[in-house]
Amino acid sequence: MPPTRGGRGRPDRNRRPGGPRKTGRPQDLVRRTAFDVIRAVETRDAYANLLLPTRLRDRGITGRDAALATELTYGTLRGRGTYDAVLALCSDRELRRIDAPLLDVLRLGAHQILATRIPPHAAVGTAVELARSVSGPGQAKFANAVLRKVASRDLDAWLAIVAPADADATTRLSIAHSHPKWIVSALRDALGPDRDEIGALLEADNARPRVTLVARPGRATAQELYDAGAAPAPYSPYAAVLAEGDPAHIDAVRDGRAAVQDEASQMVALALAAAPLDGRDARWADVCAGPGGKAGLLAAVAAGRDARLVAADVQPHRAGLVRRAVDDRTGVVAADGTAPAWRPGAFDRVMVDAPCTGLGALRRRPEARWRRGPESVAELGPLQRRLLATALESVRPGGVVAYVTCSPHLAETRVVVDDVLRDRGDVERLDAPAVLASVAADLTGVGDGPYAQFWPHRHGTDAMFLALLRRGD
């Protein structure tokens, strides 16, 4: 659902910033900043996680005001599906006939009313003022009428109306947890026999993600991150969790010796490094390396073994981001992973972090659920297959390829691997859960093999998929 909910089915209001304050920066600037980011997401395909920090910095918004702007931005983007269902009942116009900027103001107001500690009268008033500045006095009156109706019930009461218990399951889950129907269906299919976990998964998608750090081995240690105020993470030996504060204030992060990286992202990189192979182990590759999270960790692990990583990305600006994440031993090139600039069989280990729908990272990129449709899966499929097929040609006999997606969608994960391997008798599927267990003995719930799947509701990570493939002679 749009807000994180407590154990008794009510909003967990204690976690929400945004209560009344007597002092501080004018609140219209905070709300205007949230609105501007939401509009940029809608009109320019901007990414909220990249744009919002820049807007906050440029406008000098810090502390509790920055926390409120962040909550309003991400909460509105996450909860859009639920809020639209409520707004449709409170408006005498069809939502598609409401001007897009005004509709975003209404969504922002609905989030304040239904999912924060802001008093309803204040939430309505500030939203109406924003509507006035965006769309004029006449539309402000309309916004006032709509949002006063929204404020007549709390979220639980509205959910009983817009997502009733007797609705079909997909519709009810879609509205209650603010996910498009096609995503609800795809995630349920990906859960397989554990489909009854779908509610917990959708709820986890709407929870505020923790900030996880990685200490790049040989350059920083997890203990250094603990000493800076972070806590141990459950799986990766190089991970630490930051409960609060700006990661950039930690020396190791500021110096590039540590970075923000989801723990599942760390684990799939470490699984590639731990996978058994035959023969030499000196040349590694990451063929879709941008923006550099997995490449940064792989390069550090490789350096500790006297191996060398080559990191490639088809987009030059993303290759530039990779250069910032790796050391001088790493070769970084702007190259197409489907038409490689290296000879066949050049590498001992190859990472393919394939472009995908990103359904596994909806906690951190909530706008992705509204940006893509089911056609995106079909559009990306041929590229995913070409990248994996080329990676298998790029690894030498006896070497290992890791196929990774930040999506649990079956058509982007096991179906891709199975299709590519269907006519290849020279590739062995390794037991990915067993390899992961060699990195973190306490890791469970990633599947029975040969593939591994991380889940937000089980592991507190992105829903990362991993296949480990060893090429035979």
Side-chain angles (χ1 to χ4, degrees):
M1 341 186 30
T4 300
R5 297 171 65 78
R8 296 186 179 181
R10 300 190 59 80
D12 185 359
R13 299 181 183 273
N14 291 330
R15 294 184 58 188
R16 298 291 175 200
R21 298 198 295 280
K22 296 181 180 180
T23 62
R25 183 171 301 278
Q27 291 304 291
D28 57 350
L29 180 60
V30 171
R31 288 167 176 81
R32 182 70 199 212
T33 298
F35 170 79
D36 288 346
V37 173
I38 292 167
R39 288 305 300 147
V41 167
E42 286 283 311
T43 61
R44 297 194 282 110
D45 281 343
Y47 290 95
N49 64 321
L50 300 179
L51 182 59
L52 179 60
T54 300
R55 289 285 187 271
L56 295 176
R57 183 173 59 251
D58 290 348
R59 298 178 184 185
I61 301 174
T62 60
R64 295 183 67 192
D65 286 326
L68 176 57
T70 301
E71 166 60 27
L72 295 183
T73 302
Y74 281 92
T76 302
L77 291 171
R78 288 190 189 103
R80 173 176 143 176
T82 304
Y83 302 146
D84 280 3
V86 174
L87 290 168
L89 293 183
C90 295
S91 171
D92 58 6
R93 304 180 200 169
E94 295 182 26
L95 296 191
R96 63 187 179 87
R97 298 189 179 278
I98 299 174
D99 288 344
L102 180 59
L103 181 55
D104 280 336
V105 172
L106 295 176
R107 291 165 173 159
L108 185 57
H111 178 67
Q112 294 177 78
I113 293 166
L114 298 176
T116 76
R117 291 184 290 112
I118 299 170
H121 70 276
V124 172
T126 54
V128 168
E129 287 306 307
L130 180 58
R132 190 185 313 279
S133 69
V134 168
S135 301
Q139 299 302 328
K141 291 180 181 178
F142 171 73
N144 182 62
V146 171
L147 292 176
R148 286 174 69 87
K149 290 180 183 177
V150 173
S152 67
R153 293 179 173 88
D154 65 14
L155 180 61
D156 286 333
W158 277 119
L159 287 176
I161 297 171
V162 299
D166 60 354
D168 74 88
T170 300
T171 298
R172 178 172 50 80
L173 289 166
S174 172
I175 295 174
H177 294 282
S178 191
H179 285 63
K181 287 184 180 180
W182 76 271
I183 294 181
V184 174
S185 296
L187 294 178
R188 185 191 285 115
D189 289 344
L191 282 167
D194 302 306
R195 291 183 180 187
D196 58 345
E197 295 183 25
I198 183 64
L201 171 57
L202 297 175
E203 188 168 341
D205 269 352
N206 289 328
R208 197 175 310 160
R210 63 189 184 185
V211 176
T212 304
L213 307 175
V214 59
R216 290 169 177 155
R219 304 172 68 186
T221 65
Q223 185 61 52
E224 184 177 354
L225 301 180
Y226 306 156
D227 293 342
Y235 308 121
S236 168
Y238 307 113
V241 178
L242 191 63
E244 59 184 16
D246 185 352
H249 293 159
I250 297 176
D251 289 343
V253 174
R254 190 168 53 248
D255 298 342
R257 297 179 294 109
V260 175
Q261 185 179 9
D262 181 75
E263 196 170 10
S265 176
Q266 296 180 43
M267 289 297 292
V268 296
L270 295 174
L272 173 61
L277 51 66
D278 300 321
R280 71 165 193 262
D281 192 11
R283 299 197 68 192
W284 301 5
D286 185 343
V287 299
C288 301
K294 296 177 185 67
L297 181 53
L298 283 170
V301 174
R305 299 191 197 172
D306 291 326
R308 186 171 184 266
L309 178 75
V310 173
D313 198 278
V314 68
Q315 299 181 23
H317 78 277
R318 287 173 65 86
L321 295 175
V322 175
R323 286 190 181 91
R324 298 187 206 169
V326 298
D327 58 22
D328 294 338
R329 287 174 49 91
T330 302
V332 180
V333 295
D336 185 349
T338 67
W342 46 82
R343 59 180 173 77
F347 300 108
D348 308 308
R349 300 182 189 270
V350 177
M351 167 69 71
V352 184
D353 184 9
C356 66
T357 56
L359 299 187
L362 297 181
R363 303 171 309 145
R364 292 185 290 109
R365 298 187 186 119
E367 67 273 14
R369 69 189 76 182
W370 314 117
R371 182 168 285 167
R372 294 189 182 274
E375 69 281 354
S376 299
V377 178
E379 291 168 357
L380 288 164
L383 174 60
Q384 292 161 348
R385 286 164 174 78
R386 288 198 305 272
L387 284 166
L388 177 53
T390 305
L392 288 168
E393 294 305 314
S394 298
V395 74
R396 62 166 178 79
V400 176
V401 171
Y403 175 78
V404 172
T405 63
C406 192
S407 169
H409 197 301
L410 294 178
E412 299 190 274
T413 57
R414 61 182 61 228
V415 172
V416 170
V417 179
D418 291 347
D419 283 353
V420 171
L421 299 192
R422 181 168 292 115
D423 298 322
R424 295 196 63 144
D426 64 334
V427 178
E428 174 190 4
R429 295 172 176 85
L430 300 181
D431 188 336
V435 175
L436 285 165
S438 72
V439 178
D442 294 335
L443 177 64
T444 60
V446 293
D448 299 325
Y451 308 131
Q453 178 69 62
F454 287 86
W455 295 105
H457 64 296
R458 293 181 190 173
H459 306 108
T461 68
D462 289 348
M464 196 80 66
F465 171 85
L466 169 67
L468 293 172
L469 311 171
R470 185 165 58 200
R471 184 177 171 188
D473 295 332

